[in-house]
Amino acid sequence: MRKLILRNFQSPGDIVMLTAAVRDLHRCYPERFLTDVRTSCPALWENNPHLVPLNEEDPDVEVVDCHYPLIHQSNQTPCHFLHGFIHYLNATLGLRIEPGAFKGDIHISDDEKEWFSLVEETHGQSRPFWTIVSGGKLDYTIKWWDPNRYQAVVDHFRGRVEFVQVGEDGHHHPPLDGVVDMRGQTTLRQLVRLMYHAQGVVTPISLPMHLAAAVEMKPGMPRNRPCVVIAGGREPPHWTAYPHHQFIHTVGALKCCDDGGCWKSRTVPLGDGDYKDGPEELCVDVVGDLPRCMDMITAEEVIRRIEWYFGGGAIEYLDSRDKRLIVNQV
């Protein structure tokens, strides 16, 4: 069996895409490979059935630094992010891997599921909740939306939808009123567990969007997790969007993204010395504090997309029978 160690130290969202490539490698070439990984996010690989411990010093082991150059063709090529690592592995290793599922490959163990169930037995059943992300990483500020509009979304659903605000400590996540504040209080693995119990997600293009698709739904919920993505015009929708998500984009509506996503990094310079402060990385159409493509997306539009899931019957609003929210045990 061919032995592979796949390496990538990019952001968690990228690693979710690599989990899909590993899954599809073994699906297309069963019992042909032994695989291990070296990545920035070991928590995303917990319980993964496709990994075995391999030693980089073993002369039989091939170490592959994984990339996805297909992204540079994303405005012209009808491919999703899920194709990126697969395309690279095919070219590098001489394979013909094909995508098998429209999501990453994140595994929740039975023990993790049972543990939370035991907590509910003690404290009462947890009511449904949506996770919400009000900001993002400092290196890609062009993905941020207006915090006041996030607040308007929360206020509109007050008493009918419970929101749990999440976000990594050290990133930009303005606080929201009327939510359960879990910002900076979850490890990456705890975020995965929280996603397992989440009824839905509101987010810009970010890790929670990928987890919304990749993490299975708990029993009693729809087969696919509702997710409303505030995307703007940075990325072509076919590269980023998942089929069961409401992906709100403006690609094609502005001159700066009339032929695909602009792929810019920042709205204005941050003065941190990063190359993303360079003029070629900055938004060319700013309205106030937002890229125009994000400013065009109103709170009312996001509210409407959330309401579709309820209006269509995929999920139901909270009612008086719902018990308290338990999120601090994930």
Side-chain angles (χ1 to χ4, degrees):
M1 298 178 71
R2 198 169 174 183
K3 300 177 182 179
L4 299 177
I5 292 179
L6 307 179
R7 298 194 302 199
N8 183 280
F9 297 94
Q10 292 177 272
S11 298
D14 301 280
I15 305 306
V16 174
M17 297 297 97
L18 186 58
T19 66
V22 171
R23 173 198 63 211
D24 294 328
L25 167 67
H26 286 276
R27 181 184 56 83
C28 293
Y29 294 91
E31 300 183 2
R32 296 273 301 277
F33 289 90
L34 297 175
T35 53
D36 199 2
V37 295
R38 304 289 186 271
T39 72
S40 52
C41 306
L44 295 178
W45 299 95
E46 290 185 21
N47 311 306
N48 192 300
H50 303 301
L51 301 188
V52 297
L54 295 176
N55 188 341
E56 294 184 34
E57 303 302 321
D58 183 342
D60 293 329
V61 168
E62 301 173 66
V63 179
V64 181
D65 289 306
C66 296
H67 309 281
Y68 47 92
L70 190 63
I71 192 173
H72 301 301
Q73 305 171 40
S74 59
N75 282 339
Q76 294 79 38
T77 303
C79 292
H80 190 270
F81 198 177
L82 288 161
H83 292 87
F85 286 119
I86 290 175
H87 183 267
Y88 181 79
L89 291 176
N90 284 342
T92 302
L93 301 175
L95 303 175
R96 292 186 177 182
I97 308 167
E98 295 181 357
F102 213 131
K103 58 184 180 180
D105 192 45
I106 305 297
H107 295 265
I108 297 284
S109 70
D110 290 338
D111 286 343
E112 288 177 295
K113 298 174 186 177
E114 184 178 352
W115 178 45
F116 197 88
S117 298
L118 292 174
V119 173
E120 289 186 323
E121 288 180 10
T122 303
H123 296 283
Q125 185 176 2
S126 176
R127 65 191 181 198
F129 63 87
W130 283 53
T131 61
I132 187 167
V133 181
S134 68
K137 297 190 298 180
L138 293 173
D139 51 350
Y140 290 101
T141 65
I142 201 167
K143 297 182 181 182
W144 299 354
W145 195 45
D146 180 8
N148 293 323
R149 301 185 202 188
Y150 279 113
Q151 188 63 60
V153 172
V154 171
D155 292 343
H156 177 84
F157 290 103
R158 196 178 297 268
R160 295 182 295 158
V161 176
E162 188 79 70
F163 288 100
V164 175
Q165 187 177 5
V166 298
E168 185 174 340
D169 194 25
H171 292 173
H172 174 74
H173 294 285
L176 301 174
D177 294 328
V179 302
V180 177
D181 188 358
M182 294 288 288
R183 293 172 302 148
Q185 299 182 50
T186 60
T187 65
L188 181 53
R189 190 63 196 178
Q190 287 171 328
L191 180 62
V192 170
R193 294 173 185 165
L194 190 67
M195 188 62 68
Y196 172 72
H197 296 279
Q199 184 186 62
V201 179
V202 178
T203 181
I205 296 175
S206 65
L207 171 64
M209 175 195 74
H210 295 295
L211 292 180
V215 177
E216 67 178 283
M217 296 288 281
K218 65 185 295 187
M221 290 190 180
R223 285 176 293 178
N224 299 281
R225 183 172 288 101
C227 182
V228 176
V229 182
I230 304 159
R234 180 179 187 268
E235 303 182 21
H238 65 267
W239 174 261
T240 311
Y242 292 91
H244 304 96
H245 293 181
Q246 296 299 317
F247 191 86
I248 308 174
H249 74 90
T250 55
V251 172
L254 296 138
K255 291 182 179 180
C256 49
C257 57
D258 65 351
D259 191 33
C262 72
W263 289 107
K264 300 293 186 180
S265 299
R266 292 180 173 175
T267 309
V268 295
L270 297 181
D272 58 359
D274 194 294
Y275 79 92
K276 300 180 187 69
D277 262 3
E280 67 282 356
E281 294 290 327
L282 298 179
C283 176
V284 299
D285 192 351
V286 179
V287 179
D289 295 329
L290 295 177
R292 187 180 174 200
C293 63
M294 296 295 273
D295 182 67
M296 291 172 66
I297 301 173
T298 65
E300 289 74 21
E301 178 63 15
V302 175
I303 289 167
R304 185 172 70 93
R305 299 299 188 98
I306 296 173
E307 287 179 335
W308 273 1
Y309 288 109
F310 293 98
I315 51 178
E316 296 180 355
Y317 289 112
L318 296 176
D319 60 31
S320 59
R321 294 170 295 178
D322 289 303
K323 299 181 180 180
R324 71 179 188 164
L325 181 69
I326 304 171
V327 296
N328 61 350
Q329 300 292 333
V330 295

